[in-house]
Amino acid sequence: MLFRIVLCCIALSVISATDLKADSIAYAGSVTGAFGTIDLNTGAFTSLGNSGQTLSGMAVAAGSLFAASYHTANGTLFSVNPANGSLTSA
């Protein structure tokens, strides 16, 4: 019986460890407005477009990408098109 419990715990640990991998790609923006993805393992940036803004932060909520900009003093929140970085006031 003890052997079955130990075997079950090992199997659950292996399954859990393989399911809990972090993403290796993230969205990124630059001071020139370049928008794209960055490989978190290598640091390589892949340009997808230009947002026209220096993004001060990005977050995902309800499956959508949002960002703010250093250039908007009124605190505008933007919805970001992940395909090309274009911004729409949210």
Side-chain angles (χ1 to χ4, degrees), residues 22-28 37-45:
D23 290 335
S24 60
I25 302 291
Y27 290 109
T37 59
I38 188 165
D39 184 317
L40 299 175
N41 295 318
T42 65
F45 178 78

Side-chain angles (χ1 to χ4, degrees), residues 35 48-52 55 80-87:
F35 173 84
L48 298 174
N50 194 301
S51 66
L55 301 176
V80 182
N81 181 333
N84 60 19
S86 64
L87 303 176

Side-chain angles (χ1 to χ4, degrees), residues 6-58:
V6 170
L7 184 59
C8 181
C9 290
I10 291 172
L12 288 174
S13 296
V14 170
I15 291 169
S16 296
T18 59
D19 290 343
L20 298 178
K21 291 183 180 177
D23 290 335
S24 60
I25 302 291
Y27 290 109
S30 75
V31 296
T32 62
F35 173 84
T37 59
I38 188 165
D39 184 317
L40 299 175
N41 295 318
T42 65
F45 178 78
T46 301
S47 180
L48 298 174
N50 194 301
S51 66
Q53 300 279 338
T54 303
L55 301 176
S56 61
M58 284 185 259

Side-chain angles (χ1 to χ4, degrees), residues 55-81:
L55 301 176
S56 61
M58 284 185 259
V60 175
S64 296
L65 182 61
F66 296 95
S69 170
Y70 285 113
H71 301 294
T72 55
N74 61 0
T76 302
L77 179 66
F78 294 101
S79 174
V80 182
N81 181 333

